[in-house]
Amino acid sequence: MSDCDRSMNINLLKEPVFRKLCVELDKNNIKGWRKLGEMVGSDRRLKVSSEEMEMCSLKVLQLEGSPSRMLLRLMGERGCTLGQLVDILQTMGQTEALKCVKPPSIQILIQPQSVSILSGHNLRLSCYAVGKTDVHYQWFKTKEEVPNCSSPDLGVSPVRPVDAGFYICRVNCGESYEFSQWAQVDVLDVAPSYGLVSHSLQGRLKVAIQPQAQKLFLGDCLQLECGAAGRPIPRYLWHRNGVPLPNAIKRKLTIQYLSMEHQGKYRCEISSNNESTWTNEVEVVVGPRISVQVSGAMECSEEDFYELGPIGASEFMLNNIQEQPYATDKVALLIGNLSYHNHPQLKAPMVDVYDLTNLLRQLNFKVVSLLDLTESEMRNAVDEFLLLLHKGVYGLLYYAGHGYENYGKSFMVPVDAPNPYRSANCLCVQSVLKLMQDKETGLNVFLLDMCRKRNIHDDITPNIVLRVTANIVFGYATCQDAEAFELSSNGLTNGVFVKFLKKRLLNDEKITVLLDRVAEDMGQFDATKGKQALEIRSSLSERKALTDPILPGDSSDMALAHNRQWAKAHELPESMCLDFECGAKIKMGFAAEFSNVLVIYTHIVKKPADMSLCQAHVTNFSPDLDVDPKVMNRETPEDTGIYFLSSSLPQHCLYTRLSSLQKLREELVFTVCLQGTFTALDQVVDWKTDVNIGKPLIARLDLHRAMRRNSCLQTCLMPHSPCHSPCHSPGPEHLHPPQLHAQGPSPTNLSLTPPCHSPYLDVCEASQGAVGSYCSSTPYDNVSQYQYGVTSVPSALSTSSLGRVSIPIETTDDINELQTVFINSLHLHE
C-alpha cells in the first residue's frame, strides 16, 4: 500500500516518512503538534484529551522523545487515516509537513548500512536511487560534504579512526532531493596483537577489543571498553556480576564516581542480527584513597592496598573505611515571602531566593523557587515537594520571611496570615521534617532565614513526634529568641544570612563545617554583631555535603516519575510568531524569573512597507494574576520589575512580568493588540488576537486550591483556632525608634505588635550592584531595612537555562537525533 493512499491508517506510514513528519511538527511552534491537537478536537473520534496532550509534552524530557510521534500514534489508534491527516494539515497551512506525506519523486532502493570496522581495512557505503530523471549524489559526514564524491558508492581506503562518524547521502533529481538514512561508522583502533586479519570481517561477529581488569579508588572514574567488528553495527549490553546494567548499551562503559557497590566482575554481551557473543569477564576492585594505621603498627597506603588481593581488600575496606556519601537525587524548595498583607513588607527574600537558586543548580539540585505564598499555597507547595523525595534523596528547604519559634518548634508565616497570627495560620517546620523522614531521605537540610522570637499570642504546643534518625541539619539565621535582619541599601541586596552563605555554598565541605564557616563570617560583621548569630543544629552521622555526587538508585521508574513531576512545574510556553492580516508579524517569547514568575517579551519582526507606525502590546490578563497595568509592555526589563533576567533577555522588545502564577485557576489567555498607521490613512487601525499558553510553570500544579484531602501534610496539621483579633499595623514609633540600632520592641509594646515584627536595623551598605550573574544594578525605590520578622531565605529559581525549561538533557550520538539536527542544517545550505 502506498504512502499516498488516503484510506490508509497513519500508523502504517513507513518509518522514514513518519519520522520526517514528526520532525516538522516538533519544530514548528505555531503550526506544530499543539495546533494539530487542537484541530482534531472537533472530531469526537479523534479528540485528544488535555491529559494526553500533557503526556505528549513531557516527551521532550526523553533523549529521543517526540511529542508529535505520541500524538500521531494516538490519532492512528483512533482510526485517523492519511486522507484525514492531509486535510487537517492543509487547513493548518502546514506545507512542510504535507511534503512529507506526498508521494516522493525519488525512491532510494539501497540505503547505506552502519558498520563497525577495524582500522586499516577498506570502507564502502552504498546508496542507490531512481527518479523521474537522472539522479545525482552528494555524501556528507555530519554537516560537512565529502569532497570529490558524487557516485552512489562512498569508499575510504584504508579507513582510519578519524573517519569514524555519521554519514548520509543526498540524492538530487531536478529540483527535488531526498536524504538517505544515516549510517554510523565505528572504527576500532586495534593493535596488531589482537591477531585479527582482514578476512575475519567476512565471517561471524568478531570481538576485537576486550575490557581490561582495573584497580581503582573510591570516587575515581571507571572506564571499560570493548568492541566488535560487523555489519550492521553490533549492539552492546554490559553486565556486572551476571546482572544487566540499565542503560549501559554503548561500547564504552563509564561510571563517574565509584563506590563500593560498583566493585565486581564485568563483561559485555555483543549482538548483531541473530548472532551474539560475549567479551572476557574482568574484575574491577575499588579501594580507599587514604593511608590507614592497621593494628597500631603497619600503615597501609594506596599502593599497598592492592597487595591484600581482592577478597582481603574488600574485607579491609569494610572494616576500616567509610563509603563515599552520595545522593540518589537532590531536590530543593525555596520560598521567599515579602509582600505581606497585614505585616511589614520585606525586600531581601526575592534576592536571596534568586541567588540560592543559581548556586544550588550548580550543585545539581532540582530547584523550585516561589515568592509570596498564602497558607494553602505553602502547604500545597510543600506537599508537591514531598512527592519528589524518596530513599537516599538530599532534600533542602529554604525559607525567608516572617516567622517565630515556640516551645522548640519553628513556624513559617504565609503572606495572608492575620494580625496577630497563630500556629493554625502558619506552617510548622518540624511537621515537614517528620514527613521527610517517612521518605527515608539521605539528608534533610533546613535553612531558616527568619526571626525566632516567641509568639505571645500562641500557646498551642503541637504534638509532633519525630523519629530518631541521623543526617538532619538545621541552619537558623539567628539564635533562639532573637531576630534576623535584612540590610538597608539603595539597590538590590541580600539578607545578612545569605550575604555570607552564598560565598561558601559551593565549597566541597561537610554541610555542618560549611555552616560553621558561615557563622564565623557573620560573627565578624560589625553591623549585626551582638544582634544576629547563626545557630546550627545537627544529627549528622556521616560526611554529607551538598556537593556529593548523584548516583541514581535501583528505582529508575520512580526517579523518572519524580523528574516528570518536577519538570511539569517548569515547562515554559513555546515561543511563537503571530501573523496579522495587515502583513505584520510579531514574535513572542517567554522566560522564567522564578517558578511562579513568568516574563513575556514581544518584538515586531515584520511590518508592511506602507505602514508608518506599528506598535504591539499584551493585555487582558486573568484577574488571578498579580499584574500592574502601569508597568506592562515596558521598553526595558527593569521598568517592569525584571531585575535578574535583564542581561539574558533579547533586546529591543516590550516586556511584561506576571507574578503569582500559582493563583491561576484556568489556562492563561491574553490578548495581543497591534496598532498601526498607514501612510494613506490618518487614523490608527487596531488588530487583536487572543493567545492561549495553557498553564505555565507552577500553575500546572494548582497550588491555589484549598488544602488537598489526600495531602500528607494533614497528618501534622494543628487544629485551626480562628483568630478574631483585629488587624493592626505597628505605629511609626515601633518602626523608627530614635536609635536605629534598637534590638526590638519593648515589653510594653509586645501586645500591640506581632512578635515577628522588629525595628529597622541601621545598616547602610553600599549598593552591591549586580547580584549573582544576572542581577541588574537598577535600584529599588526606597529600599528599607526591616529586621526579618522572618529572615529572608533564598528560594530556588525554576529554570536552569533561562530561555527554555531548564531540564538538562544528556547529549547522545544516536542516529535518530542526528538525523533531525543535521538534515535541518543541510537544508540551510540549499
Side-chain angles (χ1 to χ4, degrees):
M1 184 177 290
S2 67
D3 291 338
C4 58
D5 188 346
R6 290 180 58 86
S7 63
M8 181 179 67
N9 188 291
I10 61 173
N11 279 342
L12 297 178
L13 284 169
K14 294 180 180 178
E15 177 56 27
V17 175
F18 201 86
R19 184 168 58 245
K20 291 178 182 178
L21 180 60
C22 292
V23 168
E24 291 300 329
L25 292 174
D26 280 339
K27 73 181 182 181
N28 197 311
N29 295 325
I30 300 177
K31 301 176 183 178
W33 67 273
R34 289 186 185 277
K35 184 64 175 178
L36 177 61
E38 294 176 10
M39 296 291 291
V40 299
S42 58
D43 189 319
R44 181 179 301 177
R45 234 168 15 105
L46 303 180
K47 186 175 181 180
V48 180
S49 68
S50 58
E51 291 78 12
E52 290 170 327
M53 289 292 289
E54 179 180 313
M55 291 305 299
C56 291
S57 68
L58 289 176
K59 286 294 182 180
V60 299
L61 302 180
Q62 301 177 9
L63 296 182
E64 303 174 31
S66 167
S68 301
R69 179 175 289 270
M70 181 174 181
L71 176 61
L72 291 171
R73 290 302 185 199
L74 288 172
M75 293 168 57
E77 291 169 3
R78 290 161 195 180
C80 182
T81 65
L82 183 59
Q84 290 174 306
L85 178 61
V86 168
D87 292 342
I88 295 172
L89 294 176
Q90 287 175 340
T91 304
M92 290 170 54
Q94 178 47 281
T95 55
E96 293 300 320
L98 280 171
K99 293 178 182 178
C100 299
V101 294
K102 287 183 177 179
S105 58
I106 302 172
Q107 289 187 333
I108 298 180
L109 304 179
I110 298 179
Q111 297 279 0
Q113 298 295 314
S114 297
V115 61
S116 177
I117 190 171
L118 302 182
S119 178
H121 285 211
N122 298 330
L123 170 67
R124 181 176 177 177
L125 299 176
S126 298
C127 176
Y128 289 96
V130 294
K132 296 179 180 179
T133 58
D134 292 339
V135 296
H136 303 277
Y137 300 87
Q138 288 176 281
W139 285 92
F140 295 84
K141 181 185 178 187
T142 61
K143 292 189 292 185
E144 300 296 328
E145 185 174 2
V146 179
N148 303 320
C149 187
S150 57
S151 69
D153 295 317
L154 171 65
V156 180
S157 179
V159 69
R160 298 170 298 167
V162 294
D163 297 317
F166 292 85
Y167 291 81
I168 194 170
C169 183
R170 171 172 163 158
V171 183
N172 304 286
C173 180
E175 296 182 354
S176 302
Y177 61 87
E178 193 73 31
F179 282 98
S180 72
Q181 67 184 20
W182 284 93
Q184 181 182 2
V185 175
D186 189 11
V187 180
L188 305 180
D189 192 12
V190 181
S193 59
Y194 281 93
L196 287 175
V197 294
S198 59
H199 64 79
S200 64
L201 288 180
Q202 308 303 321
R204 298 172 62 83
L205 187 67
K206 300 291 183 180
V207 178
I209 300 177
Q210 295 281 1
Q212 303 297 309
Q214 297 190 40
K215 298 178 180 179
L216 300 169
F217 301 105
L218 284 171
D220 277 354
C221 176
L222 169 66
Q223 289 187 325
L224 293 173
E225 180 181 2
C226 69
R231 187 192 298 266
I233 199 165
R235 299 182 299 275
Y236 300 88
L237 178 61
W238 288 90
H239 293 65
R240 180 177 66 239
N241 298 329
V243 179
L245 297 176
N247 302 319
I249 55 175
K250 296 184 180 181
R251 279 206 307 114
K252 296 181 180 180
L253 173 66
T254 301
I255 300 176
Q256 291 292 343
Y257 300 98
L258 283 177
S259 63
M260 281 301 299
E261 69 177 19
H262 296 123
Q263 187 169 256
K265 295 182 178 180
Y266 289 77
R267 66 173 181 164
C268 187
E269 181 183 12
I270 307 174
S271 58
S272 179
N273 291 333
N274 297 323
E275 186 180 2
S276 65
T277 186
W278 291 84
T279 67
N280 297 335
E281 188 173 67
V282 297
E283 187 163 17
V284 174
V285 179
V286 183
R289 191 180 287 281
I290 61 172
S291 297
V292 180
Q293 196 74 22
V294 180
S295 302
M298 179 186 71
E299 183 178 270
C300 181
S301 66
E302 293 178 351
E303 290 75 15
D304 300 330
F305 168 77
Y306 289 111
E307 296 181 6
L308 296 172
I311 298 178
S314 300
E315 292 178 351
F316 174 83
M317 286 188 60
L318 290 174
N319 294 329
N320 296 279
I321 191 67
Q322 197 171 29
E323 280 193 36
Q324 164 73 34
Y326 65 88
T328 57
D329 204 352
K330 298 180 185 178
V331 180
L333 172 63
L334 285 74
I335 300 176
N337 286 343
L338 52 156
S339 303
Y340 282 87
H341 303 173
N342 305 310
H343 308 288
Q345 308 288 293
L346 303 172
K347 294 191 180 295
M350 181 172 68
V351 184
D352 292 340
V353 166
Y354 186 85
D355 283 354
L356 290 186
T357 295
N358 290 332
L359 293 171
L360 289 170
R361 274 225 206 84
Q362 295 180 50
L363 298 174
N364 295 320
F365 273 84
K366 292 183 176 68
V367 180
V368 178
S369 58
L370 299 169
L371 300 182
D372 292 333
L373 300 185
T374 63
E375 178 192 348
S376 62
E377 291 166 357
M378 284 185 70
R379 294 190 189 279
N380 289 334
V382 172
D383 202 23
E384 295 288 345
F385 170 63
L386 293 168
L387 293 177
L388 300 178
L389 304 181
H390 55 90
K391 186 175 181 180
V393 173
Y394 285 11
L396 184 148
L397 174 64
Y398 171 83
Y399 171 74
H402 288 305
Y404 69 94
E405 183 173 309
N406 276 11
Y407 309 106
K409 303 295 189 294
S410 303
F411 294 89
M412 303 177 288
V413 180
V415 294
D416 63 340
N419 186 348
Y421 42 71
R422 294 175 172 82
S423 59
N425 314 120
C426 306
L427 267 71
C428 179
V429 174
Q430 282 69 26
S431 69
V432 179
L433 171 59
K434 181 181 186 302
L435 295 168
M436 292 175 70
Q437 288 180 313
D438 294 340
K439 300 285 187 175
E440 300 184 40
T441 43
L443 176 65
N444 302 309
V445 178
F446 294 85
L447 302 176
L448 303 176
D449 198 352
M450 63 185 215
C451 289
R452 299 174 67 194
K453 298 288 287 186
R454 180 162 165 9
N455 184 353
I456 63 172
H457 300 284
D458 185 15
D459 293 326
I460 296 178
T461 305
N463 183 21
I464 301 172
V465 180
L466 296 173
R467 295 164 54 187
V468 179
T469 57
N471 300 325
I472 300 171
V473 178
F474 279 87
Y476 294 96
T478 192
C479 297
Q480 192 170 10
D481 204 31
E483 297 155 330
F485 298 88
E486 62 180 19
L487 304 174
S488 173
S489 172
N490 293 325
L492 299 176
T493 188
N494 293 112
V496 174
F497 179 33
V498 176
K499 170 183 170 66
F500 296 100
L501 176 64
K502 69 180 185 179
K503 298 177 182 178
R504 301 279 187 180
L505 197 63
L506 298 181
N507 292 356
D508 184 16
E509 296 178 316
K510 186 177 178 181
I511 179 63
T512 49
V513 173
L514 183 148
L515 291 175
D516 278 335
R517 299 191 191 282
V518 175
E520 294 170 3
D521 295 341
M522 289 177 61
Q524 303 301 313
F525 189 45
D526 292 334
T528 54
K529 192 174 293 185
K531 300 180 181 68
Q532 179 177 349
L534 181 64
E535 182 177 329
I536 306 166
R537 295 183 184 177
S538 168
S539 64
L540 207 59
S541 60
E542 303 175 61
R543 190 201 173 279
K544 299 274 189 177
L546 299 182
T547 54
D548 289 343
I550 296 177
L551 298 176
D554 297 332
S555 182
S556 57
D557 291 341
M558 180 181 294
L560 179 59
H562 293 164
N563 286 338
R564 286 179 174 174
Q565 182 70 12
W566 173 77
K568 183 179 178 180
H570 292 82
E571 184 171 317
L572 278 169
E574 298 176 351
S575 59
M576 60 183 68
C577 283
L578 304 178
D579 293 306
F580 289 82
E581 294 178 357
C582 62
K585 177 180 290 189
I586 296 176
K587 184 175 182 180
M588 180 179 300
F590 306 89
E593 193 173 30
F594 297 91
S595 297
N596 62 340
V597 178
L598 178 71
V599 174
I600 302 177
Y601 51 90
T602 58
H603 177 58
I604 299 174
V605 294
K606 178 184 177 183
K607 73 170 186 175
D610 59 342
M611 184 179 285
S612 57
L613 175 66
C614 188
Q615 296 178 334
H617 64 277
V618 294
T619 186
N620 294 339
F621 289 99
S622 168
D624 295 333
L625 298 178
D626 182 9
V627 185
D628 185 353
K630 298 179 182 178
V631 292
M632 290 168 49
N633 303 294
R634 307 304 288 267
E635 294 183 353
T636 67
E638 293 83 3
D639 289 342
T640 192
I642 305 166
Y643 299 101
F644 304 111
L645 302 182
S646 57
S647 62
S648 60
L649 293 173
Q651 297 181 349
H652 311 298
C653 297
L654 294 182
Y655 309 91
T656 299
R657 183 178 188 265
L658 308 180
S659 57
S660 301
L661 289 179
Q662 75 279 3
K663 301 183 186 302
L664 193 63
R665 299 176 182 275
E666 305 292 340
E667 293 184 337
L668 182 52
V669 180
F670 56 91
T671 302
V672 179
C673 299
L674 179 73
Q675 295 180 328
T677 302
F678 292 90
T679 53
L681 297 174
D682 293 334
Q683 63 183 21
V684 177
V685 183
D686 295 337
W687 294 268
K688 295 182 180 180
T689 184
D690 289 336
V691 175
N692 185 338
I693 59 173
K695 288 190 173 182
L697 301 176
I698 203 71
R700 304 285 297 278
L701 301 183
D702 293 331
L703 300 186
H704 59 81
R705 292 187 293 180
M707 192 61 188
R708 300 166 190 176
R709 292 182 180 179
N710 62 344
S711 171
C712 47
L713 266 184
Q714 288 187 339
T715 60
C716 297
L717 291 178
M718 278 72 69
H720 280 255
S721 53
C723 173
H724 300 291
S725 302
C727 293
H728 44 257
S729 301
E733 67 276 10
H734 301 132
L735 297 178
H736 303 281
Q739 302 298 325
L740 295 181
H741 51 78
Q743 294 270 338
S746 63
T748 58
N749 291 331
L750 282 175
S751 61
L752 300 177
T753 308
C756 75
H757 297 169
S758 51
Y760 285 87
L761 172 67
D762 187 17
V763 181
C764 294
E765 183 178 68
S767 175
Q768 298 179 4
V771 179
S773 58
Y774 297 103
C775 178
S776 165
S777 59
T778 303
Y780 267 144
D781 293 333
N782 302 320
V783 173
S784 58
Q785 53 199 55
Y786 281 115
Q787 281 175 307
Y788 279 19
V790 231
T791 52
S792 68
V793 183
S795 319
L797 189 65
S798 71
T799 50
S800 22
S801 61
L802 292 170
R804 184 72 176 102
V805 182
S806 80
I807 301 168
I809 298 181
E810 182 183 351
T811 58
T812 177
D813 57 359
D814 182 79
I815 290 181
N816 291 334
E817 182 173 354
L818 285 170
Q819 179 123 354
T820 300
V821 175
F822 293 136
I823 283 186
N824 290 341
S825 2
L826 291 171
H827 281 212
L828 297 177
H829 294 88
E830 284 279 283

